[in-house]
């Protein structure tokens, strides 16, 4: 809701979305949810950027929306800003079944990751794991200390058409 990118990533309109649903007196959820090119994947974009994202996420309307979405979908993934930057992640972490912390390799500092974990613990979030993203072969040294990446590096992660 602060710097929306999901609509652009999935090539759907962002004119209506979560903000619209949470601020309208009566909103039609089906007008805001978009089917994507990926089978069985639907996207609810953020909608217009509101002046008060944290307040909207902490509202009873958000609680009601999550309840409705849980009835309609098997899995719901919420993309939120970094835990250490704003309270959005903490607010939503207390409302969902599980949290996966996304850690960018080469950007995240160990202390910041530990602080994010602690902030999630403070709201009793069910931290089920972490994902390391933005990983490159050069930065990671390969799998198992370089052996996997070095030995199979010419096969895994390459384009088969070359």
């Amino acid at each position: 809701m602060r710097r929306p990118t999901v609509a652009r990533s999935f090539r759907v309109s962002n004119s209506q979305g979560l903000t619209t649903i949470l601020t309208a007196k009566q909103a039609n959820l089906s007008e805001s949810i978009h089917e994507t090119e990926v089978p069985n994947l639907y996207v609810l974009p953020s909608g217009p950027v509101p002046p008060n994202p944290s307040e909207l996420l902490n509202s009873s309307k958000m609680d009601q929306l999550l309840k409705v979405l849980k009835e309609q979908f098997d899995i719901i993934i919420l993309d939120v800003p970094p835990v250490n930057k704003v309270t959005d992640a903490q607010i939503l972490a207390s409302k969902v079944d599980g949290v996966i912390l996304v850690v960018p390799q080469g950007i995240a500092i160990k202390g910041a990751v530990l602080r994010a974990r602690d902030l999630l613990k403070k709201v009793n979030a069910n931290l089920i794991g972490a994902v390391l993203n933005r990983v490159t072969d050069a930065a990671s040294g390969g799998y198992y200390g370089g052996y996997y990446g070095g030995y199979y590096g010419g096969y895994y992660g390459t384009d088969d058409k070359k």
Side-chain angles (χ1 to χ4, degrees):
M1 293 173 77
R2 294 174 188 274
R3 291 177 49 198
T5 59
V6 171
R8 189 173 353 116
S9 298
F10 287 97
R11 296 183 194 106
V12 299
S13 172
N14 198 36
S15 62
Q16 291 188 53
L18 181 58
T19 302
T20 314
I21 293 166
L22 296 178
T23 58
K25 291 187 191 246
Q26 201 167 11
N28 187 345
L29 185 59
S30 63
E31 290 177 6
S32 297
I33 294 180
H34 302 275
E35 191 169 3
T36 68
E37 295 176 4
V38 179
N40 298 313
L41 179 65
Y42 296 83
V43 172
L44 172 62
S46 66
V49 176
N52 55 350
S54 295
E55 288 177 29
L56 292 177
L57 296 175
N58 204 23
S59 68
S60 61
K61 275 189 130 177
M62 184 66 190
D63 294 340
Q64 293 168 356
L65 176 61
L66 287 173
K67 186 176 179 181
V68 168
L69 292 173
K70 282 182 181 183
E71 293 170 0
Q72 294 181 13
F73 296 95
D74 296 327
I75 298 172
I76 302 166
I77 299 172
L78 304 174
D79 183 23
V80 297
V83 179
N84 293 341
K85 300 288 183 187
V86 291
T87 60
D88 301 7
Q90 288 176 277
I91 291 167
L92 290 174
S94 67
K95 299 175 183 277
V96 298
D97 296 331
V99 175
I100 298 174
L101 186 60
V102 178
V103 181
Q105 179 186 29
I107 296 172
I109 300 166
K110 183 179 179 182
V113 175
L114 294 173
R115 183 174 186 282
R117 180 203 60 192
D118 293 344
L119 288 171
L120 291 169
K121 281 184 176 182
K122 278 186 181 179
V123 295
N124 296 316
N126 179 20
L127 186 57
I128 57 177
V131 171
L132 188 63
N133 73 348
R134 300 182 188 183
V135 177
T136 63
D137 281 341
S140 69
Y143 191 68
Y144 288 110
Y147 177 77
Y148 190 91
Y151 186 73
Y152 291 104
Y155 179 75
Y156 289 102
T158 60
D159 188 356
D160 290 335
K161 295 178 184 174
K162 292 181 181 178

